[in-house]
Amino acid sequence: MFCLHRTRRRPVAALLGLFALLLATACGAGTTDSAGSAGGKSPTVRIALGVDASYAPLYLAAERGMFEKAGLDVRLTKVEGGPAAAQAVTAGTAQMSANADSTALPQMVSNPRLRALGVFQSSGRLLKVVLRKGITSPRQIKSMGSIQGIGLYATHEYLQRHGVEPDSVKIQQSSPQEIPTMLQRGDIDGYILFDPWVTKGVEAGGHVAGSTGDFGVTYRQWLLADQQWLKEHQDLAGKVFKVVAEADRLVTKDPHAGALAAHRQAQLPVGQTKKAIGEISFESRALTATDVASSRKIVDFLLAQKLIKSAPDYDTVLLRGWYDQHAK
């Protein structure tokens, strides 16, 4: 998903994480060769992506050799998630990445060469509100856990929608792995996350109180590329997106196959992944005016929180006509 580091120590961790990504990529670690050697057919395209159910179509495409059948040499490079995927494109260790809109937009501020090519999935149901036992109303909340980026944005929207001023609530930013434990200890009254952390929160005594779509928050996953690479590989990027679009259709038709591929490619639990797939709309399409409006709202929030210093040039970084021209 999406992260922005705000503490003094987290930027160092982010740099170390990026260094590890560079080293791992150089050594060939963390990659899935879906097409083997290019053999002169096509330049290698590395796609950086996170590890969760959102990326099931890409896992399925790799598992079934769909890129190879299209004459492509595509390799999936699994990263921590959040901004790491877009940072891999910036660093040149990947040519494309899969990122949520709220992840990509701040990266586009720091690297204006990043381009969003189109949407390959979206959801207002995947991220859920988990509240501690005894908390039955948002007005009872005194503290919430949050991942950065989409988590922080959704937390603010949730509180405001229920008439609670976010500044009156202590928002503790942490990793997804730590947050259910914080709920169990009583350190927080609730959080907004995706599985398996929703299930772990329920196992820790919490209860699900709704999804982000209930209060108007829907995320979109984009495929990104660097403009310098893209201008020389428009057709190649389009062919890659076409395979992703076909994999979208297959996952929608057969969620179990998508969950099995995610298990084999990324060791994700089949049952939880299949359930999550059912809460995601896997559809590849062009960017629209609605996507731009949603992006502006996210950026306005990031600016208000002083997480970024300026807005990206939407007309430049969001390629609204690209998908229909190259990938449809």
Side-chain angles (χ1 to χ4, degrees):
M1 292 282 175
F2 159 73
C3 295
L4 265 177
H5 301 289
R6 298 184 67 187
T7 66
R8 295 180 62 185
R9 290 189 294 176
R10 286 184 182 268
V12 176
L15 289 174
L16 290 175
L18 181 56
F19 175 76
L21 171 63
L22 292 170
L23 184 61
T25 304
C27 296
T31 61
T32 300
D33 292 354
S34 62
S37 175
K41 293 182 180 179
S42 176
T44 298
V45 178
R46 289 181 174 84
I47 304 177
L49 73 170
V51 182
D52 65 59
S54 301
Y55 309 105
L58 290 157
Y59 296 141
L60 184 66
E63 182 74 12
R64 294 190 174 181
M66 294 172 65
F67 293 113
E68 182 177 10
K69 291 174 185 177
L72 302 170
D73 178 22
V74 172
R75 309 184 186 193
L76 304 185
T77 301
K78 295 184 282 293
V79 299
E80 180 182 343
Q87 288 169 351
V89 175
T90 298
T93 58
Q95 288 69 50
M96 301 176 71
S97 70
N99 284 94
D101 45 7
S102 49
T103 305
L105 289 162
Q107 295 300 311
M108 289 169 167
V109 174
S110 57
N111 179 13
R113 290 193 337 203
L114 286 172
R115 300 289 183 268
L117 309 182
V119 176
F120 75 94
Q121 58 114 318
S122 62
S123 179
R125 295 185 294 154
L126 184 64
L127 278 79
K128 292 183 168 51
V129 180
V130 179
L131 299 180
R132 183 169 56 84
K133 183 178 180 180
I135 302 296
T136 58
S137 167
R139 293 184 179 275
Q140 296 174 273
I141 294 173
K142 302 300 181 184
S143 177
M144 289 191 74
S146 174
I147 58 172
Q148 299 176 39
I150 185 62
L152 186 62
Y153 174 65
T155 298
H156 277 246
E157 290 292 306
Y158 171 70
L159 293 171
Q160 289 174 336
R161 180 62 66 93
H162 290 90
V164 179
E165 176 54 48
D167 288 344
S168 70
V169 174
K170 183 180 180 182
I171 300 176
Q172 302 183 50
Q173 296 186 42
S174 188
S175 68
Q177 296 88 338
E178 296 170 344
I179 289 176
T181 302
M182 294 166 64
L183 186 83
Q184 187 174 37
R185 290 197 305 256
D187 296 343
I188 56 175
D189 295 322
Y191 61 85
I192 298 173
L193 270 177
F194 45 90
D195 257 330
W197 317 116
V198 173
T199 298
K200 289 185 179 299
V202 172
E203 292 171 350
H207 61 97
V208 176
S211 303
T212 59
D214 297 338
F215 49 92
V217 174
T218 298
Y219 77 84
R220 297 158 179 82
Q221 286 271 17
W222 297 340
L223 284 187
L224 305 183
D226 183 276
Q227 174 60 21
Q228 187 171 337
W229 175 84
L230 184 64
K231 68 181 180 182
E232 302 294 334
H233 300 91
Q234 300 274 11
D235 291 341
L236 176 58
K239 290 177 182 178
V240 171
F241 214 143
K242 285 180 181 180
V243 173
V244 175
E246 177 59 24
D248 271 346
R249 290 187 283 271
L250 292 176
V251 168
T252 300
K253 183 178 180 180
D254 190 351
H256 187 67
L260 285 176
H263 176 68
R264 292 170 182 148
Q265 295 286 316
Q267 293 74 56
L268 294 174
V270 174
Q272 289 181 3
T273 303
K274 184 176 179 180
K275 179 181 176 182
I277 286 173
E279 297 173 333
I280 301 171
S281 175
F282 291 103
E283 179 185 5
S284 291
R285 60 171 177 80
L287 292 162
T288 66
T290 300
D291 297 316
V292 176
S294 175
S295 296
R296 289 182 183 276
K297 187 174 181 180
I298 293 169
V299 168
D300 287 345
F301 168 77
L302 296 172
L303 288 169
Q305 293 293 308
K306 297 182 169 34
L307 293 171
I308 56 176
K309 294 182 179 180
S310 62
D313 183 340
Y314 303 103
D315 292 335
T316 299
V317 300
L318 305 182
L319 303 183
R320 289 180 57 184
W322 189 92
Y323 180 87
D324 288 340
Q325 182 177 357
H326 297 281
K328 194 169 182 178

